């Protein structure tokens, strides 16, 4: 049962363009994340958001920025894409900031930079 | 920061046999260890977890073992079935900072041969 929705599923663009990916969760969770999964399936956390406050930024390049209008939405903007940005971007959410709650993932957005 | 090593990058077993995937972690503050499964073309979903207050947890055909002294945990799948074929990710989460991030291993691609 899908409860974390990501759009678009795929996006192809050229170097230097700006892209924006959307994520919405309907679980009522307080914390949302963006992960990057590269071609080798390696998962790397990019951002963690709790109630619209950025609580972790794992030193990603400045061209990446999270954007949130409320706790159910967390978008990802890339200002000027580079070839190494080609990857699958996964949005996830979980209940709160403490304890050991399960992460729920969206289906991902596959970005290809030409 | 936390580093999670997943030792087997690929694993092939015959249907009905058992499969074991091993992970190690570095941060003694890590206290929560979930496992996620990613089937071909799909996103990640939670399969089982273990907290640091126990050393074993079983759910049907899945068992997770935790050795805190060695900073090692493992996923055991018994009576494997073709639908178990997927990439399995282990993760560790330190909970000493008031919020939790999940640090993932590189994934183990499990193939169950019918």
């Amino acid at each position: 049962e899908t409860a974390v929705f990501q759009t678009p599923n795929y996006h192809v663009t050229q170097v230097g363009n700006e892209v924006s990916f959307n994520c919405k969760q309907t679980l009522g969770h307080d914390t949302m994340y963006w992960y990057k999964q590269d071609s080798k399936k390696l998962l790397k956390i990019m951002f963690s958001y709790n109630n619209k406050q950025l609580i972790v930024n794992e030193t990603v390049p400045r061209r990446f920025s999270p954007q949130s209008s409320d706790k159910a939405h967390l978008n990802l903007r890339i200002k000027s894409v580079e070839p190494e940005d080609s990857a699958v971007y996964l949005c996830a959410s979980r209940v709160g900031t403490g304890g050991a709650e399960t992460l729920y993932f969206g289906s991902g957005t596959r970005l290809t930079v030409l | 920061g936390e580093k999670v090593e997943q030792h087997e990058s690929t694993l092939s077993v015959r249907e009905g046999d058992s499969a074991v995937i091993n992970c190690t972690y570095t941060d003694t503050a890590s206290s929560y260890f979930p496992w996620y499964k990613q089937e071909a073309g799909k996103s990640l979903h939670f399969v089982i977890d273990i907290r640091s207050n126990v050393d074993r947890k079983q759910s049907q055909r899945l068992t997770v073992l935790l050795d805190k002294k060695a900073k090692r945990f493992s996923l055991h799948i018994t009576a494997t079935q073709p639908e178990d074929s997927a990439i399995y990710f282990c993760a560790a989460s330190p909970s000493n900072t008031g919020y939790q991030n999940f640090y993932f291993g590189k994934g183990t691609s499990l193939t169950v041969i019918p």
Side-chain angles (χ1 to χ4, degrees):
Chain A
E1 184 182 347
T2 304
V4 182
F5 302 92
Q6 288 187 243
T7 56
N9 292 328
Y10 303 93
H11 189 81
V12 181
T13 190
Q14 294 189 326
V15 171
N17 285 349
E18 177 175 319
V19 298
S20 190
F21 305 145
N22 300 315
C23 180
K24 171 187 172 182
Q25 54 94 2
T26 58
L27 296 163
H29 288 170
D30 291 323
T31 306
M32 296 182 71
Y33 302 82
W34 278 103
Y35 282 85
K36 178 181 179 182
Q37 186 172 40
D38 64 21
S39 58
K40 295 181 181 177
K41 301 295 185 182
L42 186 64
L43 281 162
K44 186 174 180 181
I45 188 168
M46 300 183 72
F47 299 103
S48 178
Y49 242 72
N50 174 254
N51 276 333
K52 292 169 60 179
Q53 287 188 321
L54 180 67
I55 52 177
V56 167
N57 180 337
E58 296 284 330
T59 64
V60 300
R62 286 180 176 271
R63 61 181 180 278
F64 289 86
S65 60
Q67 299 171 321
S68 177
S69 56
D70 55 54
K71 71 174 189 177
H73 296 84
L74 183 63
N75 301 330
L76 180 66
R77 186 179 79 152
I78 313 174
K79 208 182 259 189
S80 177
V81 296
E82 297 186 7
E84 59 264 32
D85 299 337
S86 293
V88 175
Y89 292 85
L90 292 166
C91 177
S93 74
R94 71 190 234 328
V95 171
T97 54
E101 301 92 359
T102 303
L103 270 179
Y104 292 83
F105 284 88
S107 56
T109 295
R110 181 178 296 278
L111 173 66
T112 302
V113 181
L114 302 175
Chain B
E2 172 66 277
K3 282 188 170 55
V4 178
E5 294 283 345
Q6 198 161 342
H7 299 272
E8 299 84 4
S9 56
T10 61
L11 182 60
S12 289
V13 298
R14 294 213 171 268
E15 184 176 356
D17 288 350
S18 294
V20 182
I21 303 171
N22 296 289
C23 289
T24 54
Y25 61 99
T26 58
D27 192 343
T28 51
S30 286
S31 58
Y32 177 61
F33 307 92
W35 289 83
Y36 288 82
K37 177 181 180 182
Q38 186 174 33
E39 295 169 71
K42 296 186 178 180
S43 191
L44 282 78
H45 71 266
F46 170 84
V47 288
I48 192 170
D49 61 11
I50 190 166
R51 292 172 173 75
S52 57
N53 60 340
V54 297
D55 55 18
R56 178 191 176 96
K57 181 174 179 178
Q58 182 174 356
S59 175
Q60 299 181 321
R61 296 184 297 110
L62 304 179
T63 300
V64 182
L65 302 179
L66 173 63
D67 181 345
K68 291 191 289 294
K69 197 171 180 181
K71 295 199 195 74
R72 183 173 55 216
F73 58 114
S74 57
L75 175 67
H76 300 247
I77 308 173
T78 58
T80 54
Q81 301 166 2
E83 51 265 37
D84 294 329
S85 296
I87 301 175
Y88 289 82
F89 292 91
C90 62
S93 182
S95 58
N96 60 340
T97 55
Y99 59 85
Q100 282 185 283
N101 282 330
F102 295 80
Y103 296 88
F104 286 85
K106 292 185 178 180
T108 296
S109 180
L110 172 65
T111 302
V112 178
I113 305 163

